[in-house]
Amino acid sequence: MRTVFTGIPDAPAAPEVAVVVDVMRAFTVAASALRRGAERIVFAGTRREALALKARNPGWLAFQDGAPVPGFDLANSPARLRSLDVRGRTIVQKTTAGTAGALAVADAGLLLCASFPVAGATAEVLRRAGARTVTFVVTGDDGRAEEDLACAEYIAALVRAADTAPGPYLERARRSAAAAELAEAVRRGWTGVHPQDVELCLEADGVPFAMVAGRADGHLELRAFDQPVPRLNSPYDRWC
C-alpha cells in the first residue's frame, strides 16, 4: 500500500481511498456519538447550512467547533457529549478542519474519517480493502498538525503490522500544539472545552468500528461501519 499524506488545500478531489484525520476534536466526537447510538452524522459546509438543516429536520442535533454558538447543541467536546442523549439521532456537524477535509475529498472511491479511537478499525478496513494507494488528509494546520499526522502514520503502520504499539504516536499527539491549546483553553475557563477532552482524544483503538462517509440525500454523511470489506468505488448504500 502506497501512502500519501496531504493537507486539505493539496488533497486530490477524487482519490482511490481517502482517510481524513481530525483528532482534536471533530472525529473523536463523531466516533463517540456513533458509539453512543447516533444514527448518522451529516456534514455541513457552513454554520448557516448546519442550522438550516437542523431547522428543517425536527429532532436533529447540530455540533460545531469553537466557542458555543446559539442554536448548536455541542461545541465539539467529546467529554461534554456525554451529557447528551444521541441515540437514534441524526447529527449535523460543521468544523473548520475535519468536516472541511471530508467535503474536499467527497468523491473518493472509499472515504474514511478517523481519529485515534477508530484507528485500529480503520486500518483493518484498509487492509481488507486492498487499496493500492491511500491518501491521508491531515486536516489541521494545512497538513502540519502533529496530532493528525501522528494518527495518520499510526493507521498506516497498523495496516503494515497489526501489532504496532500506539504509544509513540499518542505521545506526539499529547505534545502537539492542539493539545496545548486545549489545555490553555481549559485553564482560562473557556466554554466549549472540558478538562478531559485531550485524554479522550488520545484513547487509541477503543471503538470497534470504522467511520465511512458517502453521499446520501444530497449530503455527505458519516456512519459506523463494522462489516469486513467495503468494495471500492461502489455506491455508498451498498456497504453502509
Side-chain angles (χ1 to χ4, degrees):
M1 182 185 79
R2 187 174 77 91
T3 55
V4 176
F5 300 92
T6 182
I8 297 173
D10 298 319
E16 177 188 16
V17 177
V19 180
V20 183
V21 183
D22 188 334
V23 171
M24 297 184 186
R25 299 168 286 173
F27 295 149
T28 298
V29 168
S32 181
L34 291 170
R35 191 173 192 185
R36 291 170 61 84
E39 179 183 356
R40 61 177 177 161
I41 296 170
V42 174
F43 293 151
T46 66
R47 288 179 176 175
R48 178 173 294 184
E49 179 189 359
L51 292 178
L53 283 169
K54 178 184 174 182
R56 290 199 301 267
N57 296 277
W60 285 23
L61 301 171
F63 295 176
Q64 42 78 219
D65 56 359
V69 174
F72 284 88
D73 301 282
L74 188 77
N76 215 37
S77 164
R80 295 188 185 279
L81 173 64
R82 294 178 297 193
S83 65
L84 289 178
D85 183 0
V86 298
R87 289 173 295 180
R89 307 288 287 274
T90 292
I91 294 166
V92 184
Q93 189 179 38
K94 190 279 170 191
T95 70
T96 55
T99 63
L103 289 166
V105 291
D107 292 325
L110 171 62
L111 176 53
L112 301 163
C113 295
S115 55
F116 277 110
V118 296
T122 302
E124 181 66 13
V125 169
L126 295 174
R127 189 182 305 113
R128 291 178 178 270
R132 296 182 302 273
T133 300
V134 176
T135 299
F136 287 91
V137 182
V138 177
T139 60
D141 196 20
D142 290 333
R144 298 184 298 271
E146 185 65 13
E147 72 285 0
D148 294 339
L149 182 59
C151 183
E153 291 178 352
Y154 175 51
I155 294 169
L158 283 172
V159 176
R160 297 188 295 268
D163 60 350
T164 298
Y169 302 94
L170 292 172
E171 186 59 27
R172 287 167 56 188
R174 193 182 307 278
R175 295 181 179 180
S176 68
E181 289 169 4
L182 284 176
E184 178 63 13
V186 169
R187 189 185 70 80
R188 291 176 176 269
W190 292 356
T191 55
V193 296
H194 189 280
Q196 294 180 340
D197 278 351
V198 171
E199 289 307 313
L200 290 175
C201 291
L202 299 179
E203 291 185 354
D205 309 322
V207 174
F209 54 76
M211 300 189 296
V212 181
R215 295 190 188 278
D217 300 324
H219 303 287
L220 186 66
E221 66 176 43
L222 189 69
R223 291 179 183 259
F225 182 80
D226 55 8
Q227 301 175 44
V229 187
R231 291 170 291 174
L232 300 185
N233 298 307
S234 63
Y236 175 70
D237 58 6
R238 291 185 184 176
W239 40 263
C240 225

